Each structure stands twice: as C-alpha cells, then as structure tokens.
Amino acid sequence: MYTVRSQRKNHLARLLGPAFVAAVAYVDPGNVAANITAGARYGYLLIWVLVLANVMAVAIQYQSAKLGLVTGRSLPATMGQRLSRRSRIAYWLQAEAVALATDLAEIIGGAIALQLLFGLPLLAGGVITGAVSMALLGLQNARRQRTFEFVIMGLLLIITLGFLTGLVILPPEPQAVAGGLVPGFAGADSVLIAASMLGATVMPHAIYLHSSLVVHRHGTAARNPLGLAELVRASRVDVVLALIVAGAVNIGLLLLAASALQGVEGTDDIAGAHAAIADTFGPLVGSIFAVGLLASGLASTSVGAYAGSEIMDGLLHRRVPLLPRRLITLIPALVVLAVGINPTDALVISQVVLSFGIPFALIPLVRLTGNARLMGQYRDRLALRVFSWISAIVIVVLNLTLLWLTFTGV
C-alpha cells in the first residue's frame, strides 16, 4: 500500500508546474508596491482584500486550467472563435493594454531591485531586467517547457524567502491581524489601494495564460494517455498549492509593512520600505528583500511576455515570436523610467489598470466554463458558478466605486 501511495504522489508531482508559472503573476513587483503601500498607510485594515482576492484566484485559475484541458484551446483562442473580427480586435486592444501594464510593473520592479542592490540607474536596471527576461523566454518552447517551469518555480522560491524573512524576525500581532479580516475602508485612497491590490492579486493575463500553459504542458486530452479526469484533478491540486504560496507571500508583505513600517515616514514606496526594513532588521534582511524583488521582476516579466503572445495568437490568429515581442513591449516601461516618473506610483497605477481588466477576462471565462455544451461533464458546478459570478460583481462594483470616489473627490 505504501508503494502504491508513493507511486501516486510521484505521479502527481510530475503533473505539477503550470499553476506555479501562472502564480508568479500573483507575486510580481506590482504586488510588492500595492501591499507595502497598504500596510504602511493603513496597517492591517486591508488584509481582508488579499484573503478574498486569493480565494477568488484559486477558483479562477482552476477554471482557466480546466477550460484549456477540456477544449484543448486557450481562453483567448476559444473567445477568438466566438467573436466577430471587429470584436476580436477591440478585445485584443484592452487585453494588450493589460499586458503592457503588466510589463510596466515588472520591468520597473526589476530596475528598482537592481538600484537597491547595486546602485544602478533605473533606466540601466530596466534594460538589464528586460535582457534577462529575454534569456528566460528562450527556454520556453515545446521541448523545454518543463525546464522553463523549473526555472520559474526556483525564482518563486527565492521570492518567497526574500519577502517573508522579516516576518520570522518580527511576527505580527495576532489580534491586529484578526481585526484586518473584517471588511472596511478608510476613505477614497484606501479604495484606490484596495483596487490596486485586487488588480495585483487576480491578474487578468494569468487568467488568459493558464489555459495555454496546461495545453502546452499536457497536450490535448485526446492525445494524453493519462486521461482528462486525471489531468483535471492534478490541475486542481496544482492551483491550490501554487496559490497557497502566492497568497502567503502577498499577505506576508502586507503584514511586514503593517508591523514594521506603519507610521514610518517614506515607507509607502519600495525604496523607502527597503531602507526601513534594513534599519529595522539589519542590512542582510534588506538585501534578501531586494533579491526577492529582483527575482519577482525577472520571473513575472517573462511570464507576462508569454501571456501577451498567447493573447495575440488566440484573438488575432497572429503569433509574434516571443523575443521580438519582449523587445517591443519593453519600450513603454523604459520610457517611464527615462522620464523620471515615481516608480512606485507607476507600479500602483499599473495595478489599478489591471484591476479594470479583470472583468474582461473573468466574465467570458465564467460563461464558458459554465457552458454545458462546451464543457460537458466538466461544466462548473452550481456553487462554483455562483461564487464566480459574485466575484465578478464584487470586482466591477469596486472599480465603479473607485471611479466615483476619484472623480467626486469624496
């Protein structure tokens, strides 16, 4: 019996990986900026946003993976078959804006990390981050998909250690953490931060990408000897494990800022937070934090470029090779760095843009995975359909509230 169980565990372990690649999108530099800003400004107030977003993310990424496995096509490709030419172009434009916002956050995050570690100018750091991401993307092809996954998972481990080390030294107060689980806001700015946290946690490009990742890794169910049921079960485990890690990193970042940085002047941006972390915990922990940020930028920018390529291919039926695409999408981020815009502000705003892109990815996904004709016996069960629609409504309401508060000045 022990041997059988061991074989099953080893068999399952070989199927894991795609969700960990998608999960990197949930711990990118935008998350760092949004969560540190939230903790430094509002303490534990917005923990509930991260908990809710992570629960949403588990359901959403599972649905995306399941769609890819059942249909043998990515979410963008499935949508591309159902939309008219004009609709496909319009949809691609908003999805491309999301991809560019993602690239902006990730390149800037890598540039900030290199400046913190080596004192490099931000523009030079952005160029280096882009160049390394191109090297990582060189691993992404059908023959080396598993190698690409292992590299990204290794970077995810570095991210986790880099961002959570401080919590081991200075644990948060349990009573304060519990208080942050009660939903609430503290004015328009806290809604803006909450929207950026949501955009940084439930990432639209990860919703589009996960359906591609499972197809590239496992192939179509008809050609895979394991069978569809086994692949769907493995993907469910893959998603839960990957997002437990990503959720722990996100919540840990906020807790670190709330316990060590709240009320300290200048800590609501990454550079200031790094300086305060180094002062509080010592230069070694500060350097570990910066290394985690660098790994976050390198891993997530590679995954973001991969997602953009899959979105274009699915919606426009045109595939631009990954490396030229990476070079083109690098330009807006380098322009932001060159003109001297505050990098942390740019990161937070990029996450708000991502938050507005979530419904355009989520609503079609929920409709498709709830379609009995398309999904057959793998159609979402009623509880998952209800939860998914409630999630979509919450996101839309939060974004509309953000608009109203912003333009009315309340």
Side-chain angles (χ1 to χ4, degrees), residues 11-19 62 65 69 214 218 226-241:
H11 174 66
L12 176 61
R14 288 195 295 270
L15 298 177
L16 303 181
Y62 168 64
L69 290 171
V214 293
H218 302 301
L226 293 173
L228 183 55
E230 179 72 11
L231 293 175
V232 170
R233 280 195 297 269
S235 289
R236 185 161 54 240
V237 175
D238 196 22
V239 168
V240 171
L241 292 177

Side-chain angles (χ1 to χ4, degrees), residues 92 96 134 137 140 216 304-329:
W92 170 75
E96 195 66 40
M134 291 178 71
L137 286 170
Q140 201 291 309
H216 291 171
Y306 186 1
S309 177
E310 292 300 311
I311 290 168
M312 176 179 283
D313 183 37
L315 288 172
L316 299 186
H317 310 305
R318 295 182 180 179
R319 179 172 287 278
V320 176
L322 274 173
L323 297 185
R325 179 184 170 83
R326 163 75 283 172
L327 193 60
I328 294 169
T329 56

Side-chain angles (χ1 to χ4, degrees), residues 5-62:
R5 287 181 179 177
S6 297
Q7 289 176 342
R8 286 178 177 174
K9 289 180 180 178
N10 292 334
H11 174 66
L12 176 61
R14 288 195 295 270
L15 298 177
L16 303 181
F20 284 85
V21 175
V24 165
Y26 290 78
V27 290
D28 76 349
N31 293 84
V32 180
N35 296 330
I36 283 182
T37 299
R41 290 185 188 177
Y42 299 106
Y44 301 94
L45 176 68
L46 298 177
I47 294 174
W48 67 272
V49 176
L50 288 179
V51 173
L52 177 62
N54 210 62
V55 173
M56 290 179 180
V58 170
I60 292 165
Q61 295 304 140
Y62 168 64

Side-chain angles (χ1 to χ4, degrees), residues 146-159:
R146 191 62 170 154
T147 302
F148 179 73
E149 289 176 1
F150 278 132
V151 171
I152 296 299
M153 289 166 73
L155 290 171
L156 181 59
L157 176 61
I158 295 172
I159 293 166

Side-chain angles (χ1 to χ4, degrees), residues 175-267:
Q175 187 174 1
V177 174
L181 296 175
V182 179
F185 294 107
D189 181 68
S190 67
V191 178
L192 173 65
I193 298 300
S196 70
M197 292 164 68
L198 188 62
T201 305
V202 183
M203 300 287 273
H205 73 286
I207 299 174
Y208 293 119
L209 178 62
H210 202 156
S211 52
S212 293
L213 288 169
V214 293
V215 174
H216 291 171
R217 171 68 183 284
H218 302 301
T220 61
R223 295 182 179 180
N224 195 304
L226 293 173
L228 183 55
E230 179 72 11
L231 293 175
V232 170
R233 280 195 297 269
S235 289
R236 185 161 54 240
V237 175
D238 196 22
V239 168
V240 171
L241 292 177
L243 289 177
I244 284 175
V245 174
V249 171
N250 281 321
I251 294 172
L253 280 167
L254 188 146
L255 296 179
L256 180 66
S259 61
L261 307 181
Q262 187 179 9
V264 179
E265 188 175 351
T267 57

